[in-house]
Amino acid sequence: MTQGSAWVAVSEFVRRPDMVGSAVPASARMVRRMLGPLDWHRIGVLVEYGPGTGRFTFEALKRMRSDATLLAIETGEGFVEALRNSCDDHRLIVVRGTAQDVNRHLAEQGLKKANCILTGLPFSTLEPDEADAIMRESARALSSSGVLAAYQMRRAIRPLLKRHFASLRSSYEWWNIPPCHLYWARGKRLGALMAAR
Ligand SMILES: C[S@@+](CC[C@H](N)C(=O)[O-])C[C@H]1O[C@@H](n2cnc3c(N)ncnc32)[C@H](O)[C@@H]1O
């Protein structure tokens, strides 16, 4: 991380601590463990919620196919600008907005379903309605074989993942500040999507 992006991370955290969650970017080890189990050959569209300074973004780009797209959705203006300025990879699209509007952002970029959604949004501090709406829209946005990969300080996301996905794998990474729960959820439950309509 450059000095400039470290400054952006601290100032965004001070401005909106509940939305940013942590001023310390994810450790290299946690990024490797989160991204390792993903099947990169099958990922044509990856959506990342809250890329922050791009800790996961740059590592995902290294693993992605040359014809794949990474759509990064970020609420923090400072993060959006810093990420746009620090990366000129044509596969990366950075939009300022909220994860709740993922389906609109995909449509606006001419993209269909996502094969993977990667998120470190602090689900434990989101309002329950917002958290549920983000998970519902995420399940809608994923292809039938798509996977939602999440790293979280707390376990508040777990019941949401269980409600919207049939299969859930989890792990824990101590080597991070703070240590994090890691989740990979697959097999979206159509019942949960229908019930929400
Ligand atoms: C825990 S930080 C993750 C930062 C980064 N991925 C990392 O590991 O260094 C959470 C990020 O989500 C962003 N964020 C919070 N709420 C959001 C929302 N509803 N939609 C999109 N991004 C959001 C914050 O601005 C912040 O960049």
Side-chain angles (χ1 to χ4, degrees):
M1 185 160 73
T2 63
Q3 229 179 348
S5 51
W7 171 246
V8 174
V10 171
S11 59
E12 287 284 335
F13 178 69
V14 169
R15 227 162 44 82
R16 314 169 300 135
D18 50 335
M19 284 179 87
V20 175
S22 169
V24 184
S27 70
R29 185 185 151 94
M30 186 169 87
V31 175
R32 262 198 322 273
R33 285 203 53 207
M34 182 87 267
L35 300 184
L38 301 176
D39 186 353
W40 293 96
H41 295 293
R42 287 174 179 257
I43 298 179
V45 176
L46 169 70
V47 176
E48 182 181 5
Y49 298 155
T53 54
R55 202 77 177 79
F56 281 86
T57 319
F58 297 122
E59 289 302 317
L61 285 166
K62 284 185 197 162
R63 292 163 172 78
M64 275 168 53
R65 297 188 328 223
S66 57
D67 65 339
T69 301
L70 197 169
L71 174 62
I73 305 174
E74 170 60 65
T75 46
E77 191 177 2
F79 285 136
V80 170
E81 285 210 359
L83 199 50
R84 283 184 182 149
N85 292 337
S86 60
C87 185
D88 61 0
D89 190 313
H90 69 278
R91 296 170 299 168
L92 175 65
I93 302 168
V94 185
V95 295
R96 182 163 184 221
T98 167
Q100 204 168 323
D101 296 331
V102 56
N103 288 287
R104 180 170 62 76
H105 289 300
L106 280 168
E108 282 177 2
Q109 300 302 328
L111 299 168
K112 295 205 171 91
K113 297 287 181 187
N115 307 105
C116 178
I117 292 177
L118 173 64
T119 176
L121 297 190
F123 274 82
S124 55
T125 59
L126 295 179
E127 289 298 323
D129 283 355
E130 188 187 2
D132 195 51
I134 290 175
M135 199 54 76
R136 194 176 60 238
E137 290 306 306
S138 300
R140 269 188 64 209
L142 280 169
S143 64
S144 52
S145 59
V147 54
L148 189 142
Y151 52 99
Q152 299 282 299
M153 282 188 255
R154 300 194 183 84
R155 285 194 283 198
I157 197 173
R158 199 180 169 91
L160 283 173
L161 291 171
K162 287 254 181 199
R163 188 178 317 149
H164 289 276
F165 295 90
S167 139
L168 181 60
R169 217 191 110 196
S170 62
S171 188
Y172 194 68
E173 179 53 58
W174 287 99
W175 195 256
N176 192 66
I177 304 173
C180 273
H181 300 273
L182 311 181
Y183 297 100
W184 298 266
R186 297 167 198 274
K188 54 187 184 177
R189 290 187 195 277
L190 294 176
L193 293 182
M194 305 290 270
R197 282 174 190 275

